[in-house]
Amino acid sequence: MSDAALVQCTFVGNTAPNGSNISADCEAFIAADACIVTGGVGSAGVYVWGDSSIDFSCTNIWGNSQGDWVGSIASQYGLDGNTSVDPWFCDPDAHDLSLIHISEPTRPRR
């Protein structure tokens, strides 16, 4: 069995036939905390196969072409701080993946 801890990781715009951003197989256990998983192309953002598992907390999975909180991770959506919202990167085209800080109750227009 393989174990991994993903803490404050950002996965953006990756491509794969299974799990465009994160894929767990071979009896892997992954704990993911405070991560962003977005913009995956070709499959759902996260794929879990067989006896593998991924436990998410405070993680945002949003905008992946074939789904976000789907399959075996669907039940984790809305629990332990897990969400699905646009992460609002400062300038993703320039590879600036820092987050826009918003102090007002509404977001500015892009």
Side-chain angles (χ1 to χ4, degrees):
M1 176 180 277
S2 298
D3 295 328
L6 305 174
V7 179
Q8 297 180 342
C9 297
T10 301
F11 301 90
V12 179
N14 295 295
T15 303
N18 291 312
S20 57
N21 283 301
I22 300 173
S23 181
D25 58 17
C26 299
E27 298 181 7
F29 171 75
I30 299 172
D33 180 52
C35 294
I36 298 172
V37 180
T38 188
V41 178
S43 62
V46 176
Y47 177 76
V48 180
W49 184 79
D51 291 333
S52 299
S53 66
I54 303 177
D55 287 341
F56 291 99
S57 61
C58 297
T59 291
N60 182 12
I61 303 177
W62 181 85
N64 296 283
S65 69
Q66 299 298 311
D68 299 320
W69 294 97
V70 297
S72 65
I73 67 165
S75 64
Q76 296 183 61
Y77 175 70
L79 300 176
D80 297 325
N82 294 325
T83 191
S84 185
V85 296
D86 185 341
W88 288 68
F89 296 123
C90 285
D91 192 354
D93 294 335
H95 306 288
D96 179 358
L97 300 180
S98 56
L99 302 175
I100 294 173
H101 174 73
I102 304 205
S103 59
E104 299 175 16
T106 58
R107 291 182 169 179
R109 292 186 180 179
R110 289 208 244 190

